[in-house]
Amino acid sequence: MSANSSSSSSSSAKLPLKPIPGNYGLPFVGPIKDRRDYFYNQGQEMFFRTRIEKHQSTVFRTNMPPGPFISSNPRVVTVLDAISFPILFDTSKVENLNVFEGTYMPSTSFTGGYRVCAYLDPSEPNHTLLKRWFFSLLAARHHSFIPLFRNSLSELFVNLEDKLSDKPGEAYFNTISEQMSFNFVFRLFCDRNPSDTKLGSDGPNLLDTWLFVQLAPLMTLGLSKWLNGLEDLLLHTFPLPSFLVKSGYKKLYGAFYESTKPVLDEAVEVFGLKRDEACHNLLYMAGFNTYAGMKTAFPSLIKWVGLAGEKLHQQLADEIRTVVRDEGGKITLSALNKMTLTKSVVYEALRIEPPVPYQYGKAKEDLVVESHDAAFEIKKGEMIFGYQPLATKDPKIFDNPEEFVGHRFVGEGEKLLKYLYWSNGRETEDPTVDNKQCPGKDLVMLLSRVMLVELFIRYDTFTVEAGRLPLGSSVTFKSLTNATGSTGS
């Protein structure tokens, strides 16, 4: 089966060239109707599924929220299957200028007046400079990843057990995980504990508020239907002003600026960046890209593994403990690479619930994109949108796509990794200065695997209760059975 993101004239001849179905409705009225359907009448995933069914196509036209008055042009062409979706990664055909959050861009006043790297197209010189600097930062710290994260996880599991002891069956994982994640990120980039700075323990709350104000146009809070109109007015009609988070962002910026002198020196002296621009970009990478990614990815991983049940838990515990024992008790990258089921489970969690569900790009030229069944012409300047959870649950690629299958990517299943797109690129490809793939892609995979290793070294099995949040999943631990057989519940 072909996985080409776009077609040449020779390949497009194999599929019928069809007009893109769907329409945008009347000006202003169409975007508002689609926004109401998306957030309230149908819900996110059903919004797309009903239109796929209606048009009998995974490529169609629609409006994407927020629409008026935040977005000047909400019109998109959707690519919702595993074959058409990768057009969004082709930087020779698609522009990624100011589209990180979709059809709107938050004010640069949220980031010190700078367009940070996430909003830059790879053709812009600053994108190359900043991404090279990010790669340099990560490379210089790669020896610290595992030991530093293991120390952070030790704190997490102590806190988790304490919560279960205080109130059996009621250990809310997200808050504990978010504090651990922020502490890890700050220690990694700043080489000190946030508690030793003016941040104290406020880092996660300050970042969460900063994130919320920027992402509010893409959220619904799940309120009573009687409050939907008010929520739509407050969150989706006008952008929330940056002054709401100015003092909190200033506090975060100050802590990073004061704690990263050698890092910022390198940015200025080696990469030729402005010092304040470098710090705003570092804070964005640490806060938006890294912390926010961990904030959604870790609860999702724990949710799906927890719900998978005791049989998978036993298989993971057996693999992890056997490898660690054979490695003399050490948890190294070499040891992690021998844990094929553990790696597959992380991939499967990223497949079924990717931490960043949306991808956008604007066509640089007239181009032809293929789905499984047809080819479609997209005109220069049209916005292309992909909803990743549908592309990575494509039933023509994945068997039982709605089911969490821990062994999916083991053995021959590794061939499916080219259809795993969670990092704004194929899992089989690497981030470079010329693409928009997440520079910390491999770090996310590494930390997720270490989390499972530490979990199943300590515990035999666990149970959770899962729910939904405006961004990602909520997870509450109901019980933990440790490796000696006692139960914390």
Side-chain angles (χ1 to χ4, degrees), residues 230-369:
L230 179 62
E231 180 193 84
D232 199 44
L233 176 66
L234 294 177
L235 298 189
H236 308 141
T237 308
F238 302 99
L240 296 176
S242 61
F243 73 76
L244 295 174
V245 293
K246 183 177 180 179
S247 62
Y249 183 78
K250 185 177 180 180
K251 192 173 182 180
L252 286 164
Y253 178 86
F256 272 81
Y257 193 89
E258 293 169 8
S259 304
T260 56
K261 184 179 185 303
V263 169
L264 298 178
D265 286 345
E266 180 190 37
V268 174
E269 296 165 8
V270 178
F271 294 90
L273 295 164
K274 298 176 184 176
R275 195 173 195 86
D276 62 332
E277 180 181 19
C279 191
H280 286 295
N281 271 277
L282 177 61
L283 176 51
Y284 197 92
M285 181 182 73
F288 208 119
N289 301 131
T290 310
Y291 165 78
M294 296 165 76
K295 175 184 173 72
T296 54
F298 290 159
S300 171
L301 175 65
I302 295 300
K303 176 186 83 171
W304 289 106
V305 174
L307 296 177
E310 195 166 346
K311 181 179 178 181
L312 178 64
H313 298 173
Q314 186 61 57
Q315 292 169 341
L316 285 167
D318 289 345
E319 176 184 81
I320 289 166
R321 294 171 191 176
T322 298
V323 171
V324 172
R325 184 180 64 245
D326 292 346
E327 294 286 317
K330 297 179 179 179
I331 298 174
T332 62
L333 184 58
S334 173
L336 292 170
N337 287 336
K338 295 176 182 177
M339 301 175 187
T340 56
L341 176 59
T342 304
K343 186 186 295 187
S344 175
V345 164
V346 174
Y347 285 142
E348 179 68 347
L350 292 168
R351 179 196 71 83
I352 202 166
E353 191 177 333
V356 180
Y358 319 109
Q359 240 88 52
Y360 286 86
K362 187 174 290 186
K364 289 183 176 181
E365 60 188 40
D366 291 352
L367 55 88
V368 173
V369 64

Side-chain angles (χ1 to χ4, degrees), residues 81-125:
D81 61 83
I83 303 304
S84 61
F85 191 90
I87 187 63
L88 292 161
F89 311 145
D90 190 342
T91 56
S92 69
K93 294 182 173 64
V94 172
E95 182 182 70
N96 296 108
L97 184 71
N98 299 338
V99 298
F100 179 63
E101 288 173 24
T103 59
Y104 79 103
M105 177 184 168
S107 168
T108 56
S109 57
F110 285 103
T111 51
Y114 289 101
R115 286 174 59 238
V116 291
C117 188
Y119 294 103
L120 302 178
D121 186 74
S123 64
E124 298 181 81

Side-chain angles (χ1 to χ4, degrees), residues 139-265:
R141 287 156 179 73
H142 78 277
H143 292 300
S144 302
F145 294 159
I146 294 177
L148 185 60
F149 193 58
R150 290 188 69 195
N151 287 339
S152 298
L153 287 173
S154 294
E155 297 171 9
L156 179 145
F157 289 122
V158 167
N159 290 334
L160 194 61
E161 290 184 8
D162 287 346
K163 294 288 185 184
L164 280 171
S165 297
D166 292 342
K167 193 173 183 182
E170 292 293 331
Y172 186 57
F173 178 74
N174 293 61
T175 302
I176 302 171
S177 176
E178 287 161 13
Q179 188 68 60
M180 180 277 296
S181 297
F182 181 82
N183 291 346
F184 168 78
V185 169
F186 198 86
R187 290 165 184 164
L188 181 66
F189 291 113
C190 302
D191 200 28
R192 62 191 299 196
N193 292 321
S195 58
D196 296 332
T197 72
K198 294 178 181 179
L199 291 176
S201 60
D202 292 339
N205 289 333
L206 293 175
L207 270 181
D208 287 347
T209 306
W210 177 68
L211 290 166
F212 173 80
V213 173
Q214 295 177 77
L215 294 173
L218 303 179
M219 294 183 188
T220 179
L221 303 179
L223 305 176
S224 162
K225 66 178 181 178
W226 306 111
L227 297 174
N228 286 348
L230 179 62
E231 180 193 84
D232 199 44
L233 176 66
L234 294 177
L235 298 189
H236 308 141
T237 308
F238 302 99
L240 296 176
S242 61
F243 73 76
L244 295 174
V245 293
K246 183 177 180 179
S247 62
Y249 183 78
K250 185 177 180 180
K251 192 173 182 180
L252 286 164
Y253 178 86
F256 272 81
Y257 193 89
E258 293 169 8
S259 304
T260 56
K261 184 179 185 303
V263 169
L264 298 178
D265 286 345

Side-chain angles (χ1 to χ4, degrees), residues 401-420:
E402 301 293 332
E403 182 182 346
F404 181 86
V405 181
H407 293 79
R408 191 182 296 275
F409 296 101
V410 173
E412 285 293 305
E414 289 189 4
K415 294 178 180 178
L416 293 170
L417 288 175
K418 64 182 177 181
Y419 301 112
L420 184 59

